[in-house]
Amino acid sequence: MATAEPPIVKRSLFSWIFAGNVKLQLLLLLIIVVMVFARVVPLEMQKNIVNEAIKLRSIDKLINYCGIYLAAVVFFSILKYLTNVIQTLITQRTTARMRKALYEHILTLPLNFFRKTQPGTVVNALTTELTLPGNFVGMAVASPVTNILTLVAFAVYLFILNPMLAAVSLSIYPIVIFLVPLLQRGVNKANKKRVDAARTFSARIAESISGIHEVHGNGAYRIEGRKYNKLVDRLLKIRIVWSLYRFAVKTANGFFTSLGPFLVFILGGYLTIKGQLELGALVAFLSAQERLFDPWKDLIEFYQVYQDGQVNYRRTMEYFDVEAEHEIEPRDRKALELKGSVEIKDLSFVTDSGIHLLDGINMSLEEGEHLALVGFSGSGKSTLALCIGQLYKYTGGSVMIGDKEVSGLTKKDMINNIGFVAQNPFIFDGTIEENILYSCQARIGDNGRAETNEEMPTLDDIIAVLHQTGIFVDVLRFGLNAILTQDRHAELVKAIIRIRKNFQQDYGEELADYVEFFDENKYLYYSSVAENLTFGAPNRTEFANQNLAKSKYFLDFLDTADLTRPLLSLGANLCRQTVDILGNLPPDAVFFEQSPIDADELEEYKILEEHLRKKRLHELENEDRHKLLELALRFIPGIHKMAALPEILETLILESRSLFHEKIAKDDPEAFTFYQMAEYIFSQTILNNIFFGKTKTGNPQAQELINQSIIQLLIEEDLLERIIQIGMQYQVGTKGDKLSGGQQQKLAIARIFLKAPRILIMDEATSALDNKAQTRIQNLLETRWKKKSTVVSVVHRLDTIKNYDKVAVMKAGKILEMGTYDELMARKGMLYELVGNK
């Protein structure tokens, strides 16, 4: 049986050198041996070129020796590049393995660890602190072996040339070997401070960004700035000291190695003058002495990388050297299928600081029973629920699920049998589908099949849960608001065009008071003047409605169609009417709902209105004309009731519509997709393509009627599931920030309902929902889940607990009374007081 690999926090840095890299490291050693030989050959060729080729004036020998020199240099360069490639591969693979192993370990750490640890600390450890250890592993074999062998080879070669000169020139290196470690101690000490300061620095940034709402809400910019600046200054001082020590190591090394050539010049020159050393040997000696610096420098740098990597690795592993409270996977057995009963005896939970959050809890639940935990804040309700779910490790007593003690179960055992919904559920970045399947995938695993032969939920299962939790309409809306692509959705596009036609045929009369359908022969009173002119969806930013007044092409067209002057007149009339009616009212958006001028634009148009009193339209500055034109183009007669659209202008716009289509189709056919009954508009959403018009009212009942009509047509075309599938690909954003709080909570509940666990723990799981949505979930618990799953629910709203099998009232970590709702109310005890206080 294979020995289990120790957790990463117990592994030494050296254990990574050959882990998964044996073949690559052995290949490196083989290349290095050949490379060292190739590095010495040019030295011998230098000696031969001076002593034989030049001295004897032999062209043949000169060419041969130079050829061998060049071949050795090229061969060495190729091998050097190959070693760099292999080292990089080892470095990156090892760094990736370290990150994976550490992240896997971090995920298993107790929840209490994360209360004391900022997210920035974890991020910094995984992204930055493991880089240097990874670099060391990549260099661990190649760098010392290459440079030591090179030094030995050069030293041997120097002794062969002249033992006395070699001994003198190499005498400086023992001094460096003694001095560098002394300086390195200062480097290590400063580096430890740097690692700790960088970790605190990252944590401070993460904390400020996470709490940015509080920072803005309290205007605490300077407070956070002072905290940040203080850490920056501390890190600055530490990094300066660290850098000075590192530069001292390099300077000392550079100084002593530069003495080598000086000694060779003094002694070697003397020996050559006296005839005791050949000139070629002196040249080779000088070249070898100069090249000794490179491997020596590399060794010093490797030593620094090792020291820095070792410090980073140790500090990181020490910080995360915390044991998981429970085993993750069971050993030598399958995950257990637990019964739904819960038995708690003398349960206690005491924090590290000695605070008793739970004290002597005793209770039992039969399989399928529902328990409501109630009490004031801080009474221990959530703590008890978390202990049952193994999210907290209780410090005393017993929690039995079925006939198994919770403290002795693995996480896999719990995952397969328990579902948990938190008060503030976490929604992961990704799609709705990924989030809703999250719990099922965690239970079933990557192969799509659990040990109990459970398979992933079907689309029908998902749709059923979406309906039950009330998020179905939201997902449908996300699907209807999706943009299709021509190459991927050809069949769907055809079906939507059919639905568009059926929508108008079947519901046109019924919805006539609520909808204005697109008709190329009619003026659209609930569309802007710009939309009436273009009567299409722009495919370029230049032709977007808000940019038309700046488009030279469009302005030229208005001149050609004789529309510039009438539109300027319309803009001037709108400006005068709005300023006259709304000019003295407070800038509240509600007063401007029927005006094309927004509240924050009023002051600009007041100034423009003064200009209109003094000048005629043709005398206005270009900027003022532009504003009037922009105002006219955004005018919607059906909404902006302060002014009427002149009949003659309406006729001109209708006539100009076809003229614009002809002109743009000739000049730039890709610029617009025109509204045609038989054509799909790929720049618009599915809903807009079906609707093919504008609503006349924001009445919720009218909108509901429209939605129901569209849903009915989707069902008839058998497209409802397809739209839901598209809606489930909606990206929810970081922490689900593209969803409302209620949508996030519904999605979290749907996630667990889809898992259908034997025991369901809900910690105020409906707190972000409105009354209607809460009632829906409560009814679902009382019908679908009654007698099927055991439910432990931490409840804030006491009007929802009447139908629970048991109600436990908690205070100060103890259960003061427990029974049915009616029993406890009849006693007129704590629950009676709580209900009365509510």
Side-chain angles (χ1 to χ4, degrees):
M1 182 175 163
T3 307
E5 192 175 84
I8 182 173
V9 292
K10 300 297 184 184
R11 292 181 63 175
S12 69
L13 180 56
F14 289 97
S15 69
W16 293 96
I17 294 175
F18 289 99
N21 299 315
V22 175
K23 292 181 180 179
L24 288 176
Q25 297 286 28
L26 291 176
L27 178 60
L28 265 181
L29 288 173
L30 179 62
I31 293 172
I32 287 166
V33 173
V34 180
M35 191 168 66
V36 170
F37 173 76
R39 199 168 188 178
V40 176
V41 169
L43 298 177
E44 184 65 19
M45 292 305 103
Q46 286 181 7
K47 185 185 78 172
N48 292 341
I49 287 168
V50 174
N51 288 345
E52 296 183 27
I54 296 175
K55 187 175 183 180
L56 300 176
R57 300 178 182 275
S58 173
I59 300 297
D60 291 340
K61 287 186 176 182
L62 179 64
I63 293 173
N64 289 338
Y65 291 145
C66 286
I68 295 172
Y69 183 99
L70 179 62
V73 170
V74 171
F75 187 52
F76 172 80
S77 298
I78 293 172
L79 293 179
K80 182 66 175 175
Y81 176 76
L82 188 57
T83 57
N84 287 335
V85 169
I86 296 173
Q87 280 184 266
T88 300
L89 187 59
I90 292 172
T91 295
Q92 298 305 323
R93 285 173 56 175
T94 303
T95 304
R97 289 193 189 103
M98 285 180 179
R99 284 173 173 157
K100 289 177 182 177
L102 182 58
Y103 187 65
E104 185 177 337
H105 173 75
I106 288 171
L107 290 178
T108 67
L109 298 183
L111 294 182
N112 188 49
F113 172 83
F114 295 100
R115 281 194 200 86
K116 299 179 289 186
T117 302
Q118 288 290 341
T121 302
V122 178
V123 172
N124 190 55
L126 291 168
T127 57
T128 305
E129 293 179 16
L130 292 180
T131 302
L132 281 176
N135 290 342
F136 163 73
V137 171
M139 301 169 64
V141 171
S143 185
V145 172
T146 300
N147 294 304
I148 289 172
L149 284 180
T150 302
L151 284 171
V152 170
F154 282 0
V156 170
Y157 184 72
L158 292 177
F159 273 99
I160 291 173
L161 291 176
N162 190 292
M164 181 175 67
L165 187 57
V168 171
S169 63
L170 294 174
S171 63
I172 59 175
Y173 289 100
I175 301 174
V176 180
I177 292 173
F178 171 76
L179 180 61
V180 167
L182 289 178
L183 293 173
Q184 187 63 42
R185 291 175 192 171
V187 175
N188 293 347
K189 185 177 179 181
N191 193 31
K192 288 179 182 178
K193 292 181 179 179
R194 182 190 66 84
V195 171
D196 293 341
R199 188 178 291 157
T200 305
F201 185 66
S202 298
R204 166 59 59 195
I205 295 172
E207 183 182 55
S208 297
I209 300 303
S210 299
I212 196 68
H213 286 87
E214 288 297 319
V215 176
H216 278 263
N218 292 283
Y221 314 111
R222 292 183 180 177
I223 295 175
E224 293 302 315
R226 283 196 295 270
K227 292 178 184 177
Y228 178 81
N229 293 343
K230 186 176 180 181
L231 288 174
V232 170
D233 292 341
R234 180 168 176 266
L235 187 59
L236 171 66
K237 293 176 183 177
I238 292 171
R239 289 189 69 91
I240 288 174
V241 173
W242 179 59
S243 298
L244 289 176
Y245 272 113
R246 286 170 62 87
F247 292 146
V249 172
K250 291 183 179 180
T251 302
N253 178 55
F255 171 75
F256 284 106
T257 50
S258 296
L259 288 177
F262 168 77
L263 296 175
V264 172
F265 278 121
I266 288 292
L267 183 58
Y270 175 80
L271 294 174
T272 303
I273 292 170
K274 291 294 184 179
Q276 297 176 19
L277 185 67
E278 294 177 333
L279 181 61
L282 178 60
V283 172
F285 209 104
L286 284 168
S287 181
Q289 176 66 41
E290 182 182 351
R291 295 189 186 186
L292 271 175
F293 176 72
D294 290 334
W296 182 254
K297 181 187 72 173
D298 290 345
L299 275 176
I300 296 297
E301 287 180 356
F302 169 73
Y303 179 70
Q304 285 192 317
V305 169
Y306 160 66
Q307 292 292 340
D308 291 345
Q310 183 79 327
V311 168
N312 278 32
Y313 186 81
R314 281 180 180 170
R315 301 299 275 187
T316 302
M317 297 309 145
E318 286 171 3
Y319 189 86
F320 294 104
D321 190 6
V322 179
E323 290 187 10
E325 292 177 332
H326 305 277
E327 285 196 45
I328 306 303
E329 301 274 351
R331 299 179 185 179
D332 305 322
R333 66 171 175 82
K334 293 181 178 180
L336 298 174
E337 290 187 49
L338 303 174
K339 295 179 181 178
S341 60
V342 178
E343 183 76 27
I344 300 176
K345 294 181 180 178
D346 298 323
L347 182 68
S348 62
F349 182 75
V350 184
T351 66
D352 295 337
S353 57
I355 299 173
H356 288 254
L357 297 182
L358 296 178
D359 188 7
I361 300 291
N362 290 279
M363 56 163 279
S364 63
L365 286 175
E366 296 296 327
E367 190 166 7
E369 281 191 322
H370 290 196
L371 167 70
L373 295 174
V374 301
F376 292 112
S377 297
S379 59
K381 308 184 297 296
S382 295
T383 304
L384 176 56
L386 292 169
C387 285
I388 295 172
Q390 207 192 59
L391 294 177
Y392 285 172
K393 186 176 182 180
Y394 44 90
T395 54
S398 169
V399 177
M400 303 286 289
I401 294 181
D403 57 350
K404 303 295 181 182
E405 178 67 42
V406 166
S407 61
L409 295 173
T410 67
K411 284 293 181 183
K412 184 66 175 176
D413 296 325
M414 299 297 289
I415 288 166
N416 279 18
N417 293 276
I418 291 183
F420 186 84
V421 186
Q423 179 180 0
N424 299 304
F426 194 92
I427 303 300
F428 293 90
D429 187 15
T431 65
I432 285 180
E433 182 179 27
E434 289 168 344
N435 272 280
I436 202 169
L437 292 175
Y438 190 78
S439 292
C440 294
Q441 287 175 332
R443 178 182 63 184
I444 291 175
D446 296 332
N447 60 1
R449 187 177 291 274
E451 294 170 346
T452 55
N453 293 324
E454 293 180 78
E455 295 182 351
M456 289 295 287
T458 65
L459 181 60
D460 288 340
D461 296 331
I462 295 173
I463 290 176
V465 168
L466 293 176
H467 268 297
Q468 292 165 5
T469 53
I471 199 174
F472 175 84
V473 174
D474 298 297
V475 177
L476 178 62
R477 188 176 72 253
F478 295 145
L480 288 171
N481 285 324
I483 304 289
L484 300 184
T485 55
Q486 194 164 2
D487 54 336
R488 291 178 54 199
H489 303 101
E491 291 301 317
L492 182 56
V493 162
K494 293 178 183 177
I496 290 172
I497 291 175
R498 286 197 304 271
I499 292 175
R500 175 196 292 171
K501 293 177 180 177
N502 293 337
F503 182 57
Q504 292 196 20
Q505 290 173 4
D506 298 350
Y507 298 100
E509 291 185 13
E510 183 181 350
L511 299 174
D513 292 336
Y514 310 131
V515 180
E516 181 179 57
F517 293 108
F518 292 150
D519 186 334
E520 59 185 330
N521 298 313
K522 294 181 179 179
Y523 191 91
L524 308 172
Y525 293 98
Y526 287 86
S527 294
S528 68
V529 169
E531 290 170 320
N532 270 281
L533 267 171
T534 59
F535 199 68
N539 299 323
R540 303 194 200 290
T541 306
E542 175 192 356
F543 294 114
N545 289 332
Q546 66 272 22
N547 296 330
L548 282 177
K550 305 172 188 174
S551 168
K552 185 177 184 306
Y553 181 92
F554 189 74
L555 293 175
D556 290 342
F557 165 75
L558 293 181
D559 288 338
T560 303
D562 294 326
L563 277 172
T564 304
R565 182 79 184 186
L567 288 176
L568 285 173
S569 297
L570 174 62
N573 187 32
L574 290 168
C575 178
R576 292 189 187 100
Q577 293 282 4
T578 303
V579 171
D580 182 48
I581 298 172
L582 302 177
N584 296 320
L585 293 176
D588 193 323
V590 69
F591 298 122
F592 291 79
E593 289 177 353
Q594 295 185 1
S595 167
I597 296 177
D598 293 332
D600 56 358
E601 298 175 320
L602 182 60
E603 291 303 318
E604 294 180 39
Y605 282 98
K606 280 183 178 180
I607 297 172
L608 179 52
E609 196 269 340
E610 289 180 10
H611 294 172
L612 286 170
R613 291 181 194 171
K614 301 173 184 177
K615 298 179 181 179
R616 297 179 182 274
L617 287 176
H618 68 275
E619 295 174 338
L620 292 173
E621 299 290 337
N622 286 337
E623 184 179 350
D624 288 343
R625 288 167 60 88
H626 168 76
K627 284 182 182 177
L628 291 178
L629 197 58
E630 189 179 55
L631 185 59
L633 288 172
R634 69 166 86 151
F635 176 57
I636 303 172
I639 297 175
H640 305 143
K641 302 294 180 68
M642 291 188 173
L645 180 71
E647 287 188 20
I648 188 169
L649 181 55
E650 179 181 325
T651 304
L652 275 173
I653 290 172
L654 279 175
E655 290 175 354
S656 300
R657 179 186 292 174
S658 56
L659 180 63
F660 179 75
H661 286 192
E662 290 173 8
K663 180 173 174 54
I664 198 77
K666 179 182 177 181
D667 298 339
D668 192 354
E670 301 298 321
F672 275 86
T673 302
F674 299 118
Y675 296 147
Q676 296 177 350
M677 196 65 178
E679 294 295 326
Y680 192 89
I681 309 163
F682 286 97
S683 60
Q684 298 286 309
T685 65
I686 294 174
L687 179 61
N688 287 346
N689 269 279
I690 294 174
F691 197 64
F692 206 62
K694 294 286 183 74
T695 55
K696 297 180 179 180
T697 175
N699 187 317
Q701 292 181 339
Q703 193 60 53
E704 181 66 19
L705 182 60
I706 293 168
N707 291 342
Q708 290 302 320
S709 304
I710 292 175
I711 291 173
Q712 182 59 39
L713 290 170
L714 289 173
I715 294 171
E716 290 174 5
E717 282 285 342
D718 198 23
L719 280 183
L720 189 61
E721 289 187 356
R722 183 77 180 90
I723 302 299
I724 288 294
Q725 283 181 309
I726 293 173
M728 287 197 298
Q729 302 313 307
Y730 178 75
Q731 293 285 336
V732 300
T734 304
K735 298 182 181 179
D737 61 3
K738 292 184 180 179
L739 302 177
S740 67
Q743 287 171 335
Q744 290 180 29
Q745 205 150 43
K746 288 176 185 177
L747 184 55
I749 294 170
R751 180 162 66 195
I752 296 303
F753 280 6
L754 191 63
K755 179 181 177 180
R758 289 179 176 83
I759 298 176
L760 176 60
I761 298 174
M762 303 183 73
D763 187 4
E764 295 193 35
T766 60
S767 59
L769 303 182
D770 56 42
N771 291 341
K772 184 178 178 181
Q774 285 196 37
T775 302
R776 175 196 286 269
I777 299 299
Q778 192 59 43
N779 290 340
L780 191 64
L781 288 173
E782 294 171 5
T783 53
R784 185 179 183 278
W785 293 85
K786 203 78 169 203
K787 304 303 179 185
K788 293 181 180 178
S789 291
T790 306
V791 175
V792 177
S793 182
V794 177
V795 180
H796 179 70
R797 280 187 52 187
L798 298 182
D799 58 334
T800 64
I801 66 175
K802 295 179 181 179
N803 295 323
Y804 277 86
D805 297 303
K806 293 180 179 178
V807 177
V809 184
M810 297 189 66
K811 183 178 181 181
K814 297 182 178 182
I815 294 179
L816 298 185
E817 58 183 19
M818 183 170 173
T820 67
Y821 178 83
D822 292 336
E823 288 173 351
L824 296 183
M825 290 298 288
R827 291 182 197 171
K828 295 188 177 182
M830 278 294 298
L831 180 63
Y832 184 83
E833 291 181 16
L834 284 172
V835 172
N837 289 333
K838 292 290 181 181

